[in-house]
Amino acid sequence: MFRLVDIDIRWSGRDSNTPDGCIIATGLDPHGNLRTFLYRGDEPSDGGFLGSILYPEPGAGTPLAYGPRGGWVPCGGGEAAMLVRLAEKADREGQDR
C-alpha cells in the first residue's frame, strides 16, 4: 500500500475515466514511478485506497494494475477499464464498506 505521505501527487480529481464513488490521483510513487492511484470517496485517503496503475517508461511495456495490497490485478483495455476493474475488485472483496 502507498501511504499518501509517501506519494508525490501532481493532480487529483475526477475525469471521464473515474469510476462512480471514486477519485483518482496521479503522481509519483516512492520509487519515482508514474502511477494513477484510485481511492473510494471524495478525496484521496489511506483508508480509501483501492489500488493503482503503474505506467512504465515509454516503450518499456504496458500499464499494470495493482490492488491495495500490491497484488497484480488482471486487466485489459485502457486506463478507464483498469480503474473500473480495481473498483469492482474492491467491491467484491468488501473493502471500504
Side-chain angles (χ1 to χ4, degrees):
M1 177 176 148
F2 294 105
R3 297 176 317 145
L4 283 171
V5 70
D6 297 327
I7 299 171
D8 181 6
I9 295 178
R10 306 295 174 95
W11 177 86
S12 68
R14 292 182 176 87
D15 63 16
S16 60
N17 293 336
T18 310
D20 290 340
C22 296
I23 191 165
I24 58 174
T26 57
L28 303 176
D29 69 20
H31 309 288
N33 300 305
L34 178 62
R35 290 184 183 257
T36 294
F37 302 91
L38 180 66
Y39 300 90
R40 174 110 36 233
D42 294 326
E43 62 183 52
S45 69
D46 289 337
F49 181 65
L50 300 179
S52 66
I53 300 172
L54 171 66
Y55 298 96
E57 293 290 324
T62 59
L64 297 172
Y66 293 91
R69 293 175 185 81
W72 179 72
V73 177
C75 294
E79 180 182 78
M82 295 173 102
L83 291 169
V84 166
R85 177 77 171 109
L86 286 171
E88 288 173 346
K89 182 177 184 337
D91 287 343
R92 279 193 312 277
E93 294 177 358
Q95 296 173 357
D96 300 310
R97 290 287 180 194

